Amino acid sequence: MNKTILVTGSTDGIGKQTAFELAKLGNKLIIHGRNDIRCRNVTEWMKNESGNDNIEYLAADFFSLSAVRDMAAEIKNRFSSIDVLINNAGVYMNEFVITPDGFESTFAVNHLAPFLLTNLILDVIINSGSSRIINVSSIAHVRAKLEWDNLNAEKSFDPYYAYSLSKLANILFTNKLARLLETSSTTVNSLHPGVISTKLLHTGFNIEGAGLEEGASTPVYLADSDEVAGISGRYYVRSSETPAARICMDKSVQDRMWKLSSEMVEPDTK
């Protein structure tokens, strides 16, 4: 059965390739990007190249939580169900930049935005039946240094520290949400897409990586494969379940990250 799939950050890089591969399989795709023009151009390109006309888009800049809220409201207005949500949008910031909401931008875009969006549209996802939430994390999470008093770079800012912390937060969020949804038919999993040649990789690490097809392979697998039906709270690398850093399994750490994240994005999430 064809699915309705939303891929955030899908006007470029891994997200674009992931959406393209899923569109070629005949699914209904919802593209997301920062601005309307880019979204419209990618949507038209994807329709032409995939032969699938069932592609729409949503534009929202994840640097703004109010834009995330507006996007969630638009989703609820336009779509009765979301079978698969792939939280892929992400940034690597070499400089310390504060968002309009007062958050360090790496943490805001990579963690708070998908945390808020997922919670706001969770009823639409759950109502879809056997739905899936997929969070694109990174192997960088294993090197994260979790300092509760420096989540928002209150004490110091380091680009890699901020990035790795946000990717750890992605997995903590995944595992806590999987626990909350364990009695539902909605699954939640996270993944490392590989070291892939994207703008993010070039910005953060100035190196070349593997092709976009490889980067899209694991999120496509988690979105489409019957092999992972009913499996939740796991971390995948190269389409195989892989142990995440030990801290990701600590329920008290998951709970604390959820509580602090909820407080940051209030009043929308408790």
Side-chain angles (χ1 to χ4, degrees):
M1 183 180 71
N2 292 341
K3 303 171 182 176
T4 299
I5 304 175
L6 167 59
V7 185
T8 69
S10 47
T11 58
D12 195 27
I14 294 170
K16 180 181 178 182
Q17 190 69 37
T18 298
F20 181 54
E21 299 297 338
L22 291 167
K24 287 192 292 184
L25 293 175
N27 297 290
K28 176 184 177 65
L29 262 294
I30 307 168
I31 302 300
H32 160 260
R34 289 187 188 180
N35 68 78
D36 193 87
I37 294 175
R38 177 72 172 164
C39 286
R40 190 183 315 129
N41 290 340
V42 170
T43 298
E44 290 306 311
W45 171 86
M46 199 167 294
K47 286 180 179 180
N48 291 333
E49 294 297 318
S50 69
N52 183 347
D53 284 332
N54 205 3
I55 304 174
E56 300 182 44
Y57 72 84
L58 296 158
D61 189 341
F62 278 8
F63 276 84
S64 165
L65 292 182
S66 64
V68 176
R69 295 184 186 103
D70 290 344
M71 176 175 165
E74 187 174 355
I75 289 170
K76 290 187 170 187
N77 184 53
R78 286 172 53 183
F79 306 100
S80 59
S81 64
I82 300 289
D83 298 297
V84 181
L85 167 63
I86 303 179
N87 285 311
N88 165 83
V91 295
Y92 188 106
M93 302 294 292
N94 282 314
E95 297 181 354
F96 179 61
V97 177
I98 292 290
T99 69
D101 304 288
F103 300 113
E104 188 279 314
S105 53
T106 309
F107 192 73
V109 173
N110 293 2
H111 171 59
L112 292 180
F115 176 84
L116 177 58
L117 177 66
T118 304
N119 275 285
L120 289 177
I121 66 169
L122 196 54
D123 54 344
V124 180
I125 298 171
I126 292 173
N127 289 340
S128 302
S130 299
S131 50
R132 304 179 183 186
I133 299 169
I134 299 159
N135 295 323
V136 178
S137 180
S138 168
I139 193 68
H141 84 275
V142 303
R143 299 181 64 183
K145 186 178 180 182
L146 181 54
E147 298 175 329
W148 295 112
D149 58 352
N150 198 40
L151 294 182
N152 200 33
E154 295 92 338
K155 294 168 57 181
S156 62
F157 173 77
D158 174 81
Y160 188 77
Y161 164 81
Y163 181 74
S164 61
L165 172 66
S166 71
K167 297 291 106 179
L168 173 61
N170 291 158
I171 303 180
L172 293 171
F173 166 48
T174 298
N175 294 350
K176 168 69 174 181
L177 186 57
R179 287 163 53 206
L180 293 174
L181 296 177
E182 61 186 0
T183 59
S184 76
S185 57
T186 299
T187 61
V188 195
N189 293 292
S190 58
L191 68 99
H192 166 56
V195 180
I196 309 300
S197 284
T198 61
K199 286 194 296 186
L200 188 150
L201 186 73
H202 299 154
T203 299
F205 305 95
N206 197 29
I207 60 173
E208 291 296 322
L212 293 175
E213 291 83 0
E214 181 175 325
S217 62
T218 303
V220 168
Y221 171 76
L222 290 176
D224 185 68
S225 177
D226 291 336
E227 293 178 1
V228 292
I231 296 175
S232 194
R234 312 293 172 84
Y235 171 70
Y236 286 79
V237 180
R238 294 183 182 271
S239 301
S240 296
E241 185 182 335
T242 305
R246 185 177 300 178
I247 192 174
C248 299
M249 304 301 113
D250 190 323
K251 292 180 180 179
S252 66
V253 177
Q254 296 170 18
D255 292 346
R256 187 171 183 184
M257 182 62 77
W258 184 285
K259 182 176 184 295
L260 291 172
S261 302
S262 296
E263 291 170 353
M264 290 178 179
V265 301
E266 280 186 342
D268 300 273
T269 309
K270 300 298 181 186

